[in-house]
Amino acid sequence: MATPADLLPFKATEKTLANGLKIIVVPTGFPNIVSVQIPVQTGSRNEVEPGKSGFAHFFEHMMFRGTPTYPPEKYQDIITKAGARQNAYTSDDLTNYYTTFAKEDLETVLKVEADRFQHLSYGEDVFKTESRAVLGEYNKNSANPFAKMYEVMRESAFDTHTYKHTTMGFIKDIEDMPNQYAYSKVFFDRWYRPERTTIIVAGDVEPQKTIAMIEKYWSTWRRGSYKSEIPAEPASKGPVYRHVPWATPTPPLVAFGFHAPAFSERNKEQAALKLLLSLSFGRTSPLYKRLMQDEQKIDQLFEDTPNRVDPGLAIVAARVKKAEDALYVRDLVLQTVARLRTEPVSDKALAEAKSALKYGVIRSLDNTEQIAGTLASFVHFNRSYGTINNYYRVIDSLTPADLHAAARKYLGDEGMVLTTLSNGALPAGMEALPKLADLLPKAGKANLDIIVQKTALPQIRYKLLFPAGSAHDPAGKEGLAALTAAMVASAGSSDRKIDEITKAFFPMAGSFTEQTDKEMTTFTGTIHKDNWKAFNDIALPMLLSPGFREEDFRRLKDAQRNALQVDLKDNNEEELGKERLQTNVYAGTGYGHAVLGTAKGLAAITLDDVRSFWKTAYTQGVVKVGVSGDVSDEMTAALKQALARLPEGGGLPATPVPAGRQANGLEVEIIEKNTRATAISLGLPLTVTRSHADFPALWMVKTWLGEHRSSSARLYQRIREVRGMNYGDYAYIEAFPRGMFQFFPNPNLGRKAQLFELWIRPVAPENAHFALRIALAELDKAIAQGMSKEQFETTRGYLMKNVFVMTSTQDQQLGYALDSQWHGTPEFTKLMRDGLSRLTVDDVNAAMRKHLSAKNLSVVMITKDAAGLKDKLVSDAVSPIKYDGNKPKDLLDEDAVIGAMKLDIKPEAVRITPAAQVFAE
């Protein structure tokens, strides 16, 4: 039974079966939806044998490879018919499998999940194919300097404990994985056992009926007997320094690791260290204000004290704008650490940190999947619902003395690991770490219509949507819309600097954020109803009376330039390819540049430009408002009254519908970049938006062809599943920025014209030509043959249910309501379900043939050997593909046909662009 002090207020029912399987059932009060989460107590921590790292993560993949009763296609058919979204993740200590779906399919999901946990079956060829996909995932991550830095830090910090390697494993072990088929069976037999597993069922459920279903299908699972000793890490003898040279331009990283205590729901040490580092290096900290806002030496500062079964690493890291400042930043971080060992935090600061942590977690629990997922992240420790509540009781009990004790014990010279990463040389002396004691500082000193979605949630969320996006950027000032929005949400008000606002938001866990796209900018405020007035007294003046300080302008302009040139262009080939395709298709229109702008455009923007754009764009006459949660009439009235202070006016001139250019044949841009893999995006302009009669039909087509992050769709099956060429292959009819990080697109990305796009995730360079051919072959086959009646019914059945899953959070529901208002359409779930119900298979195939083409497409490919790839494309050379394992003859025969398929790409239709020139102007 929940008590008033519990973080999770739900009544959970728990039971342990005779075989050791733990069951936790949690009715959440949210209707129709159920989330099943199955955390298994096995992660990279359990990989104790040399040469065998990466297998916990590998089985996250293999668990979708089917059983004799439910082979992959049959299993995926069941999941699809349930309208479910499903995935898994692996961490150091656990592997968690989760599925969220409509409640009517609960018994079916429990049945098929029981089967795959007890009867997973795969052959050596399938094993080898999947092992190459895992290598592809490693390759995908290889462009991220943060990932490499963390990998090196862990390897340097640990000598004997298995936390020495990341969840991906050591690269040499991943490359050798195709030879470890026999061992894979041993690993699964050891660790996938009921006594290590918990089944969490949350949502619209009846506990006793749910437990009976689980007993029916899971009680015969046999308990295991394997025991393993995880080698204890000896006392550290630091400090340790490691440097990572980086081959391509990137801002330097300076990261500190400190050996930290294990998670405990009783001992205070780990919780105390977590709050201490959050207070000292988070967004409200003096160091953050100094380095990020005042001196602008860095563009990122973050900390993390992860919850781990065994003693792990707490991290403090900064990304430095200029290499010559790296030593300065290092020493300021160390000075802060040194002070923590001598100066306790105040009672007030600690109380605010506790409040922010508590309300921050509560704020996130706005849907069943999030509740179940949060629970899974704590349950795996002791397989108990009470763990999370016990942990937050520990946090509530912390005192300044507890935090000070944690600092003195864990933030010392001997437990420190400094890791740096840079493209060029760093200042001399980085490797000579000073003693913390030597670094101690010296003593001294309107009238608006509002969409209201009334719910019982105490967390209030509101959105303010303005029709002002990057399509409104003046020529030569590309990036102005995004920079103006950032100056509103991240640069304070005329009365308060941003650091004051951040500190004020901290104890109430409030946030005020911006999102800019081609046609619109949305500001989102979120706060607990208890803090509504205090929050808006601080947040709304940022929009109504911005600070417009020169130092904030410089800081945010630099941050946007880095987001464009570093985060997008230098460090993320996949998002770069997708964004470049958009701008190529819509070149010469308002959609012809990235939302972030161009390097030349950003350089030209002045603070006066920002002031002018704000005054013209964010006016009473155009703002659309939505609010959700346990909101009262008084709250909405107060919001209206505040927004009446917006500038008067009708906003910016309406943008024309952009006319995209459809390629004549295949037109290819190859971006030449120093990268390990080859990313591919291809597509054509679409006039079909949500207000178009063919939108539901094309939504079905993209789902059947390449539903985002779905392993049952056609492209995924043919390219990734059967051939193991990459990490995934998807199709889109609406823009999906940041798709590699999300299951669903954010709301409030409405556009007047769209793009049909195929996203082929990075492949080995030698397979790039074949990958393009197979994508085109599958698209051509889809258009020519169309969907079958069975495929049509399956896809429609999935979407009729999935539309509720993709709009299940508070933010999604409010955002989609505003989008429907902008498009002039009915509420989104009604629009889609009504539209889908009226369709026939002939309607869908007709829409596909009308709007899509496999012949006339724009293509963007990002690779290292651009000239070599161009030669292959224009010569139409045969592109063979090789496999590690055996493949059936019919597949090899098909490969031969595809590899010889003529693309007829003319030399003048292929251009090579050095990466440095992309988005330059």
Side-chain angles (χ1 to χ4, degrees):
M1 176 70 71
T3 69
D6 286 343
L7 184 80
L8 294 184
F10 310 105
K11 181 182 179 181
T13 302
E14 301 181 76
K15 182 174 183 178
T16 303
L17 302 186
N19 62 1
L21 180 69
K22 183 63 180 283
I23 302 169
I24 301 175
V25 184
V26 185
T28 63
F30 290 91
N32 302 322
I33 295 291
V34 175
S35 184
V36 172
Q37 309 250 348
I38 309 177
V40 183
Q41 292 174 318
T42 181
S44 53
R45 168 181 178 268
N46 303 97
E47 295 160 353
V48 295
E49 292 124 316
K52 303 295 192 294
S53 67
F55 270 87
H57 169 255
F58 178 75
F59 271 97
E60 174 197 327
H61 290 243
M62 292 306 297
M63 284 293 286
F64 295 90
R65 283 299 188 172
T67 71
T69 303
Y70 297 101
E73 58 276 6
K74 185 175 181 181
Y75 175 84
Q76 286 299 330
D77 183 60
I78 291 170
I79 296 300
T80 299
K81 287 179 178 177
R85 290 309 301 237
Q86 181 185 63
N87 211 335
Y89 66 83
T90 308
S91 77
D92 293 336
D93 301 325
L94 80 153
T95 306
N96 186 41
Y97 300 86
Y98 57 97
T99 310
T100 302
F101 51 93
K103 68 176 182 180
E104 65 198 67
D105 297 299
L106 175 58
E107 182 165 2
T108 299
V109 170
L110 289 172
K111 179 181 179 180
V112 298
E113 290 299 83
D115 183 66
R116 72 163 172 162
F117 272 75
Q118 297 176 63
H119 305 298
L120 177 67
S121 177
Y122 55 89
E124 188 167 2
D125 289 336
V126 171
F127 169 85
K128 289 185 175 182
T129 296
E130 196 60 35
S131 68
R132 293 302 87 183
V134 171
L135 179 59
E137 185 176 352
Y138 183 93
N139 290 339
K140 172 184 72 71
N141 296 333
S142 65
N144 188 331
F146 285 97
K148 185 63 179 179
M149 177 200 69
Y150 188 51
E151 179 182 356
V152 172
M153 175 183 283
R154 287 180 55 151
E155 189 170 1
S156 304
F158 294 96
D159 291 323
T160 58
H161 195 281
T162 45
Y163 287 166
K164 186 177 181 69
H165 62 268
T166 66
T167 55
M168 286 296 300
F170 294 121
I171 182 59
K172 62 181 183 297
D173 297 345
I174 299 172
E175 291 174 335
D176 186 56
M177 200 169 275
N179 303 316
Q180 299 295 333
Y181 173 72
Y183 176 78
S184 74
K185 299 287 188 176
V186 173
F187 187 94
F188 180 79
D189 184 71
R190 287 175 177 174
W191 298 109
Y192 279 72
R193 291 292 184 176
E195 72 274 14
R196 305 182 190 276
T197 304
T198 304
I199 300 178
I200 301 167
V201 184
D204 192 354
V205 292
E206 297 178 42
Q208 296 309 318
K209 290 184 178 179
T210 301
I211 289 173
M213 293 179 197
I214 296 172
E215 289 178 325
K216 177 179 178 182
Y217 297 111
W218 293 77
S219 60
T220 58
W221 193 9
R222 294 179 58 188
R223 181 189 289 266
S225 60
Y226 180 74
K227 303 294 182 184
S228 175
E229 290 295 326
I230 308 299
E233 183 68 20
S236 54
K237 298 178 181 179
V240 174
Y241 174 74
R242 293 290 183 272
H243 177 69
V244 182
W246 195 249
T248 57
T250 191
L253 304 179
V254 177
F256 295 85
F258 293 93
H259 284 272
F263 172 88
S264 174
E265 59 184 289
R266 295 179 179 83
N267 186 286
K268 294 183 177 183
E269 288 185 339
Q270 190 266 350
L273 189 62
K274 179 188 287 285
L275 260 69
L276 180 66
L277 294 185
S278 176
L279 276 168
S280 306
F281 300 100
R283 291 176 60 85
T284 62
S285 66
L287 186 65
Y288 185 97
K289 179 180 184 299
R290 178 174 178 177
L291 290 176
M292 283 281 288
Q293 298 165 16
D294 297 338
E295 299 176 353
Q296 300 184 38
K297 300 289 189 183
I298 63 175
D299 64 6
Q300 290 189 37
L301 177 67
F302 61 90
E303 50 75 31
D304 182 41
T305 307
N307 300 334
R308 292 293 181 262
V309 170
D310 295 327
L313 278 184
I315 295 171
V316 177
R319 188 165 75 174
V320 186
K321 293 182 180 181
K322 297 178 180 179
E324 57 263 33
D325 292 327
L327 189 64
Y328 175 81
V329 171
R330 183 204 73 176
D331 286 349
L332 282 184
V333 173
L334 289 175
Q335 288 171 19
T336 303
V337 171
R339 281 196 300 271
L340 295 178
R341 293 174 53 82
T342 59
E343 302 173 7
V345 303
S346 69
D347 288 316
K348 181 177 182 293
L350 178 55
E352 290 176 348
K354 292 178 184 179
S355 177
L357 186 60
K358 173 184 175 183
Y359 283 119
V361 174
I362 293 173
R363 180 179 65 185
S364 71
L365 302 178
D366 66 350
N367 64 90
T368 286
E369 184 175 90
Q370 185 65 28
I371 292 166
T374 300
L375 187 57
S377 68
F378 284 85
V379 158
H380 76 92
F381 289 104
N382 298 310
R383 302 202 306 153
S384 169
Y385 175 84
T387 297
I388 184 171
N389 288 329
N390 292 338
Y391 184 66
Y392 279 87
R393 290 192 191 100
V394 170
I395 288 174
D396 284 341
S397 73
L398 292 173
T399 67
D402 295 323
L403 273 63
H404 192 204
R408 293 186 64 82
K409 183 172 181 178
Y410 294 102
L411 301 182
D413 298 303
E414 64 282 358
M416 184 194 309
V417 180
L418 172 62
T419 308
T420 56
L421 179 147
S422 65
N423 174 243
L426 294 179
M430 283 296 296
E431 71 284 357
L433 285 170
K435 294 289 186 182
L436 288 171
D438 296 336
L439 287 169
L440 284 172
K442 296 178 180 179
K445 302 187 163 191
N447 184 18
L448 306 166
D449 291 329
I450 297 182
I451 296 173
V452 178
Q453 296 180 338
K454 176 74 173 177
T455 73
L457 286 175
Q459 192 71 19
I460 309 297
R461 185 181 301 267
Y462 61 79
K463 288 180 175 287
L464 312 175
L465 188 154
F466 295 91
S470 61
H472 297 87
D473 288 340
K477 306 277 186 177
E478 292 82 7
L480 179 58
L483 184 55
T484 303
M487 285 292 291
V488 168
S490 301
S493 63
S494 59
D495 293 334
R496 291 181 174 91
K497 290 186 175 182
I498 189 60
D499 60 305
E500 299 173 74
I501 291 174
T502 303
K503 288 180 180 178
F505 283 171
F506 182 65
M508 60 180 83
S511 69
F512 187 80
T513 59
E514 93 286 353
Q515 174 183 278
T516 302
D517 195 60
K518 302 293 188 186
E519 296 284 354
M520 60 183 63
T521 291
T522 312
F523 297 100
T524 302
T526 179
I527 190 67
H528 194 279
K529 67 178 183 179
D530 292 351
N531 300 313
W532 168 264
K533 184 179 185 305
F535 172 76
N536 283 324
D537 286 346
I538 300 167
L540 289 177
M542 290 196 291
L543 171 64
L544 304 172
S545 181
F548 291 141
R549 297 174 181 85
E550 185 66 38
E551 61 267 25
D552 291 313
F553 173 71
R554 291 195 303 269
R555 170 176 59 85
L556 292 173
K557 188 174 177 179
D558 284 347
Q560 188 163 322
R561 184 186 298 112
N562 276 344
L564 175 70
Q565 296 184 344
V566 178
D567 298 332
L568 175 61
K569 192 175 74 173
D570 293 344
N571 293 346
N572 195 328
E573 283 87 26
E574 296 182 279
E575 292 295 318
L576 171 61
K578 293 164 64 182
E579 190 65 41
R580 185 64 169 185
L581 178 66
Q582 290 268 349
T583 59
N584 285 352
V585 169
Y586 285 101
T589 76
Y591 290 12
H593 62 273
V595 171
L596 291 169
T598 64
K600 185 176 181 180
L602 281 170
I605 295 171
T606 67
L607 185 53
D608 285 340
D609 294 329
V610 171
R611 288 192 182 98
S612 177
F613 193 92
W614 165 81
K615 186 175 182 179
T616 309
Y618 303 153
T619 65
Q620 297 178 41
V622 294
V623 64
K624 302 298 180 183
V625 185
V627 60
S628 175
D630 189 11
V631 61
S632 66
D633 293 342
E634 291 78 11
M635 290 177 178
T636 57
L639 186 59
K640 282 186 180 182
Q641 186 177 6
L643 293 175
R645 293 169 50 204
L646 282 167
E648 295 182 357
L652 297 166
T655 58
V657 176
R661 180 185 175 278
Q662 183 154 346
N664 181 17
L666 296 179
E667 298 179 1
V668 184
E669 179 182 29
I670 304 174
I671 297 175
E672 189 172 39
K673 186 174 185 289
N674 186 10
T675 180
R676 180 183 174 108
T678 300
I680 306 172
S681 291
L682 58 152
L684 51 79
L686 275 184
T687 58
V688 177
T689 66
R690 292 182 193 176
S691 60
H692 195 288
D694 284 341
F695 184 79
L698 288 188
W699 193 264
M700 283 193 68
V701 171
K702 69 90 184 170
T703 301
W704 168 63
L705 188 61
E707 176 78 332
H708 180 71
R709 302 296 289 271
S710 172
S711 60
S712 61
R714 182 178 185 132
L715 288 173
Y716 188 102
Q717 285 291 315
R718 301 304 299 160
I719 301 175
R720 189 260 196 245
E721 191 74 6
V722 174
R723 293 174 170 86
M725 292 179 65
N726 61 358
Y727 194 57
D729 308 277
Y730 312 114
Y732 307 89
I733 64 165
E734 285 192 317
F736 193 161
R738 300 170 295 279
M740 67 181 295
F741 307 109
Q742 302 173 209
F743 252 132
F744 296 114
N746 291 340
N748 311 130
L749 299 170
R751 299 186 180 184
K752 295 177 180 178
Q754 289 286 355
L755 189 76
F756 169 70
E757 177 184 1
L758 299 186
W759 177 24
I760 309 303
R761 304 201 73 173
V763 299
E766 62 268 21
N767 293 331
H769 194 186
F770 184 88
L772 178 61
R773 277 177 160 144
I774 190 173
L776 293 170
E778 290 297 333
L779 177 59
D780 185 62
K781 188 186 304 181
I783 296 171
Q785 298 179 0
M787 297 176 72
S788 68
K789 178 69 172 175
E790 181 182 1
Q791 291 167 338
F792 169 81
E793 294 294 348
T794 298
T795 306
R796 179 165 66 175
Y798 163 79
L799 288 176
M800 292 288 279
K801 296 176 179 178
N802 179 255
V803 72
F804 292 124
V805 179
M806 68 178 293
T807 58
S808 62
T809 70
Q810 185 185 45
D811 188 79
Q812 290 165 339
Q813 290 168 5
L814 188 60
Y816 273 96
L818 287 169
D819 286 342
S820 295
Q821 188 180 66
W822 187 83
H823 282 287
T825 60
E827 183 272 329
F828 184 73
T829 59
K830 177 176 174 54
L831 170 74
M832 294 306 299
R833 286 173 66 87
D834 288 353
L836 291 167
S837 66
R838 290 192 293 265
L839 287 174
T840 67
V841 66
D842 291 337
D843 294 333
V844 174
N845 290 332
M848 181 162 39
R849 289 190 291 270
K850 178 180 178 181
H851 298 287
L852 307 188
S853 168
K855 307 298 182 184
N856 302 311
L857 292 161
S858 296
V859 183
V860 174
M861 307 178 82
I862 303 173
T863 196
K864 184 175 183 179
D865 182 12
L869 179 56
K870 179 177 180 179
D871 288 343
K872 292 177 182 178
L873 294 177
V874 300
S875 68
D876 250 346
V878 173
S879 52
I881 182 171
K882 296 180 180 179
Y883 301 104
D884 289 311
N886 297 319
K887 294 293 181 182
K889 183 177 183 300
D890 59 345
L891 181 67
L892 298 177
D893 291 343
E894 181 185 43
D895 287 349
V897 173
I898 292 171
M901 184 175 73
K902 296 300 181 183
L903 300 183
D904 298 322
I905 301 175
K906 300 178 176 61
E908 59 271 21
V910 182
R911 74 180 193 272
I912 294 175
T913 304
Q917 295 178 13
V918 176
F919 302 140
E921 57 182 63

